[in-house]
Amino acid sequence: MDAIEVIRAKRDGARRGELSTGQIDWVIDAYTRGEVADEQMSALAMAILLNGMNRREIADWTQAMIRSGERMDWSMLDRPTADKHSTGGVGDKITLPLAPLVAACGAYVPQLSGRGLGHTGGTLDKMESIPGWLASLSNDQMLHVLREAGAVVCAAGSGLAPADKKLYALRDVTGTVESIPLIASSIMSKKIAEGTGSLVLDVKVGSGAFMKTTETARELAETMVALGTDAGVRTVALLTAMDRPLGRAVGNALEVEESVEVLAGGGPSDVVELTVRLAREMLEAAGVSGKDPERALKDGSAMDAWRRMISAQGGDPDGLLPRAAETMVVEVPESGVLTRLDAYAVGLAAWRLGAGRARKEDPVSFGAGVMLHAKPGDVVRAGQPLMTLHADETSRFERALEALAGGYEVGQASSGDLLPLVIDRITA
Ligand code: URA
């Protein structure tokens, strides 16, 4: 077999470009070993983006990427495992309260997370704002934290789906990220290799998400649920709103602070509602009928699990979180009802303030971000604070304000066209 034959088959093959299982296995393996060159894989990724893949091809592609590395195994644990994956959004800190909450309710949560790129934040960047906390753990250390706290959140090691690691970096620079077969296989190869017994997918919809419409989000969710189910992982997906930011805090340390409020029984209602809903879905998928998540947030048991999880990874749960040196208040322009607060505009502003990175090797500012003082639907008065911008240098404020221009609207009545927080539930 050779790469050109596989590229041509996807480009214009007799059966509308369908790749055989043998062709997929070969090309993923040869690419991982460096025998298929980056430029050849780029051409194939573009042919896939343009011509798509059917369910069988996506399943074969996912399995081949899993086989390119190790598959983790948690069968030595005495309770079921459950994980959650979000397709990414603005202010999406849900993993932080959710992982210890589900642990406090009786399931183990082994979660491999990523860093942010572009306007969406990454869980590891948020957690790294906690003094001393370590993202990189060996498999033995992961097991130790799981046994200690019931939940672990850490970076995926280089042995997990290395084919995806190479391919994702290539897609990022060749305009081939936005392909549902490639996104679904990329996410699910890592989640299946991670060894979780059950998985809840939070597929975000709206301006601040990968998927801008409910239709494309549904297609991605259905594809991922089918992949998980076929691989023996009990998988459910929720489609959830990302037309406005989640909660009030956007930015690394600011989001940790808000997550701790949720674990202390408070916090913004949308963050609490989604955390509890996802926890119930995870416990149901894992077949655990222990404690009710709402109670575990009120009685301190989720907070106890959080503190154990942070300490077991070298962090200080009482440590002072970094704060940005400079702040700037943006005021409400006129009295009325806040009818729109665009997730992408706020995410872009937080990114320009220093909370995110442009290239994956860039550092992030832990203290930078946006604190919202009003959410869509709130009655607001002219001159009251709408949001506070946080940055290490005042020079960042101008570009953040440019990102926010046109990103919010005050009207005379709530327009009612906000997406519901949970739009739909997708099962196999
Ligand atoms: N996240 C991933 O892990 N892969 C993609 O392709 C897109 C988002």
Side-chain angles (χ1 to χ4, degrees):
M1 230 173 274
D2 70 69
I4 297 170
E5 178 194 321
V6 179
I7 296 164
R8 284 196 182 126
K10 179 45 71 185
R11 191 192 65 188
D12 52 15
R15 294 171 61 196
R16 291 183 44 243
E18 187 175 336
L19 299 181
S20 69
T21 303
Q23 284 174 318
I24 290 172
D25 287 350
W26 177 82
V27 82
I28 294 285
D29 178 56
Y31 179 58
T32 311
R33 287 186 288 105
E35 198 180 303
V36 166
D38 274 349
E39 53 270 30
Q40 294 174 312
M41 198 51 152
S42 313
L44 181 58
M46 185 58 81
I48 291 170
L49 181 132
L50 295 173
N51 292 338
M53 286 203 283
N54 64 27
R55 283 279 160 96
R56 197 265 314 147
E57 291 176 289
I58 301 172
D60 286 346
W61 190 272
T62 307
Q63 286 300 329
M65 292 214 290
I66 294 170
R67 277 197 305 275
S68 72
E70 65 172 322
R71 189 162 177 174
M72 300 177 90
D73 175 22
W74 305 111
S75 58
M76 74 293 269
L77 294 171
D78 56 357
R79 282 181 268 140
T81 49
D83 192 10
K84 183 241 13 171
H85 177 84
S86 160
T87 54
V90 177
D92 184 3
K93 72 280 296 172
I94 298 290
T95 287
L96 279 65
L98 181 66
L101 174 60
V102 171
C105 294
Y108 281 114
V109 184
Q111 174 156 141
L112 299 175
S113 293
R115 294 179 196 284
L117 195 63
H119 75 280
T120 62
T123 297
L124 297 182
D125 297 326
K126 296 171 201 191
M127 299 289 284
E128 278 178 340
S129 67
I130 301 169
W133 187 85
L134 293 173
S136 294
L137 301 182
S138 67
N139 293 1
D140 284 349
Q141 287 169 320
M142 264 186 94
L143 184 60
H144 169 76
V145 180
L146 267 181
R147 287 201 158 123
E148 194 76 12
V152 60
V153 175
C154 62
S158 55
L160 201 97
D164 176 65
K165 210 156 271 158
K166 262 186 102 172
L167 180 56
Y168 190 66
L170 191 68
R171 287 166 56 211
D172 207 25
V173 293
T174 55
T176 50
V177 169
E178 301 90 343
S179 149
I180 285 180
L182 292 177
I183 295 173
S185 55
S186 166
I187 292 173
M188 293 306 291
S189 62
K190 286 173 287 202
K191 286 289 150 183
I192 296 166
E194 169 199 275
T196 186
S198 50
L199 177 66
V200 177
L201 298 161
D202 181 1
V203 181
K204 300 285 185 203
V205 184
S207 70
F210 250 125
M211 297 294 141
K212 308 293 180 203
T213 66
T214 305
E215 291 66 39
T216 51
R218 191 185 307 282
E219 191 185 337
L220 177 63
E222 285 172 355
T223 307
M224 293 196 291
V225 167
L227 286 172
T229 306
D230 289 352
V233 179
R234 286 177 300 280
T235 310
V236 176
L238 297 184
L239 307 188
T240 71
M242 190 36 70
D243 50 346
R244 69 277 185 185
L246 194 53
R248 291 178 178 270
V250 181
N252 302 305
L254 296 171
E255 293 191 43
V256 172
E257 231 168 78
E258 189 168 274
S259 303
V260 172
E261 278 171 31
V262 172
L263 287 160
S269 58
D270 56 349
V271 179
V272 176
E273 185 184 333
L274 192 55
T275 303
V276 168
R277 174 67 193 268
L278 287 165
R280 292 201 173 118
E281 292 285 354
M282 285 168 74
L283 293 165
E284 187 185 328
V288 172
S289 53
K291 197 169 202 165
D292 179 61
E294 221 164 340
R295 225 180 86 220
L297 285 179
K298 298 284 178 217
D299 70 9
S301 52
M303 178 68 97
D304 291 344
W306 162 263
R307 294 177 65 83
R308 284 197 302 275
M309 180 177 93
I310 299 303
S311 302
Q313 284 178 245
D316 177 0
D318 299 311
L320 272 188
L321 292 168
R323 286 234 156 237
E326 309 291 341
T327 57
M328 176 186 216
V329 174
V330 177
E331 294 179 352
V332 172
E334 60 182 299
S335 297
V337 175
L338 184 64
T339 49
R340 196 169 67 83
L341 182 58
D342 184 67
Y344 179 71
V346 175
L348 187 59
W351 180 48
R352 289 181 176 176
L353 289 166
R357 52 171 68 79
R359 292 166 311 159
K360 59 182 186 308
E361 49 284 346
D362 291 347
V364 296
S365 161
F366 291 127
V370 179
M371 269 310 289
L372 304 170
H373 305 300
K375 294 282 298 254
D378 288 355
V379 175
V380 289
R381 267 179 302 105
Q384 82 175 67
L386 174 61
M387 59 184 94
T388 304
L389 312 184
H390 297 246
D392 292 330
E393 308 96 26
T394 52
S395 57
R396 290 186 176 265
F397 289 139
E398 194 180 331
R399 295 266 292 140
L401 290 173
E402 279 169 26
L404 289 165
Y408 52 89
E409 269 170 37
V410 178
Q412 287 321 304
S414 209
S415 61
D417 57 7
L418 282 179
L419 290 168
L421 183 61
V422 177
I423 302 159
D424 207 352
R425 181 175 188 267
I426 313 284
T427 55

